Amino acid sequence: KPIVFIFLKSEMNLPPMEYEIVKIEPSKELLRTAKLITKNEIHVLSALQKLRQLSDGFLYEYEYDESKNAKVRTGLEFVGSPKIDQLNLDLEEYSEASDFGCGRIIIYAGYKGSVDIITAQCINQDWVVLQIDARGWQIFTPTIKGQTYSTIIGQKVDVDLCLNEMDRSTNTGLIDKLAVVANPEAGGEGNEFSASPVIIYYSNSNSGAARMQSEARAHSNNMDKKKGLLVKDYCHLPSDYKIRENLMKKMDLQAITMGEIKNLIN
């Protein structure tokens, strides 16, 4: 302090991020429900939101509030999704030290309902969860053989500990399995999740900037350069593919640098 050095990623010799679209076939019943939604909804955004929720495994429930003269959200209906089965496979694959996993994983989702579904699956497989969305930063820990996780490791599990364990430069392995489950638009800039070799987008938000920032949290000089970073998108209903396609276009536009613009003009 107060001297600051700024480096571009292109100067760090980082391995490029690898992308994989996980294609998940929808059932005929789910497709019938999706067609019914598109038939009954008048507005495009409303139809798209319901389709994205349906793809993730739930639908928000609403009731009319006379005092507000508007519909208000009252809860959600869990309808299930094969995305959950795929998630459980990935949680198992990345749970232990191997060529792929190391007990660290990042999972993003576009809705609170989706975040809650993912958190529940993680806890069922004995993962500690650092959850980040509009509700704030929360810690969820599994109970293993009747013991709390803090008792097992002999230390309180809080946000600071989880952030240290998700940063590969400070990760001690104290927490056996740790997942960051977040909305891509939450968490802000500057978070370091380089201990994870994989990012899973269970679903996406509409923000290209949030997608870029959420990817960058694991792609840093502290990452395991041999394992690299794999970015997986779960695509179930056709709406998932459309959202991802639009995000990639936004990211391509935002990735244009001032240097490239100057070169074009020159």
Side-chain angles (χ1 to χ4, degrees), residues 6-261:
I6 296 179
F7 298 90
L8 298 177
K9 272 193 175 181
S10 57
E11 300 171 338
M12 293 183 183
N13 196 30
L14 298 180
M17 287 182 279
E18 296 183 13
Y19 293 86
E20 177 185 342
I21 296 177
V22 181
K23 298 180 179 179
I24 302 172
E25 289 296 323
S27 66
K28 291 181 179 179
E29 182 182 1
L30 192 76
L31 285 174
R32 283 196 295 269
T33 305
K35 288 178 181 178
L36 191 63
I37 288 173
T38 57
K39 180 180 178 181
N40 292 338
E41 287 294 332
I42 300 174
H43 302 292
V44 173
L45 287 180
S46 179
L48 191 56
Q49 284 190 356
K50 285 189 176 181
L51 289 174
R52 292 169 64 194
Q53 293 164 23
L54 181 67
S55 177
D56 281 8
F58 74 98
L59 286 170
Y60 283 131
E61 296 176 327
Y62 295 87
E63 289 184 3
Y64 180 74
D65 188 324
E66 291 186 1
S67 62
K68 296 180 179 179
N69 192 28
K71 286 184 177 181
V72 295
R73 188 189 301 171
T74 56
L76 63 81
E77 176 190 2
F78 179 76
V79 297
S81 170
K83 281 186 178 182
I84 297 172
D85 297 327
Q86 179 62 46
L87 175 64
N88 285 326
L89 290 175
D90 281 324
L91 287 173
E92 184 177 349
E93 180 176 1
Y94 289 96
S95 63
E96 298 178 357
S98 65
D99 292 341
F100 303 103
C102 61
R104 299 290 181 267
I105 197 169
I106 305 164
I107 310 164
Y108 290 113
Y111 293 96
K112 293 178 182 177
S114 313
V115 167
D116 289 341
I117 288 172
I118 296 165
T119 296
Q121 299 305 311
C122 290
I123 293 172
N124 285 342
Q125 292 203 31
D126 295 335
W127 288 74
V128 173
V129 175
L130 170 58
Q131 188 186 93
I132 311 170
D133 61 12
R135 293 167 290 190
W137 297 59
Q138 302 181 74
I139 303 294
F140 295 88
T141 57
T143 299
I144 303 174
K145 295 180 179 179
Q147 288 186 303
T148 65
Y149 206 87
S150 294
T151 302
I152 293 170
I153 66 173
Q155 184 174 335
K156 182 182 178 182
V157 181
D158 57 17
V159 171
D160 287 338
L161 175 61
C162 290
L163 287 176
N164 284 335
E165 294 286 289
M166 282 304 297
D167 183 337
R168 189 167 173 267
S169 66
T170 55
N171 177 29
T172 65
L174 182 66
I175 297 176
D176 185 35
K177 296 189 293 186
L178 175 60
V180 170
V181 180
N183 185 297
E185 297 184 44
E189 298 180 0
N191 292 316
E192 174 86 16
F193 299 152
S194 55
S196 175
V198 64
I199 299 173
I200 294 172
Y201 286 90
Y202 186 90
S203 57
N204 281 286
S205 72
N206 289 314
S207 170
R211 171 75 188 226
M212 291 180 73
Q213 179 59 225
S214 59
E215 287 184 3
R217 290 167 188 153
H219 195 234
S220 79
N221 204 41
N222 292 327
M223 68 184 289
D224 187 331
K225 297 182 178 67
K226 290 183 179 179
K227 286 185 178 180
L229 179 63
L230 177 61
V231 181
K232 303 175 74 168
D233 281 271
Y234 288 2
C235 289
H236 182 204
L237 287 176
S239 48
D240 293 331
Y241 294 92
K242 189 64 177 177
I243 291 294
R244 186 184 184 278
E245 178 187 342
N246 288 340
L247 277 176
M248 295 302 108
K249 290 178 181 177
K250 292 177 181 178
M251 288 172 65
D252 286 343
L253 183 62
Q254 289 174 307
I256 296 175
T257 66
M258 182 56 71
E260 289 176 306
I261 298 296

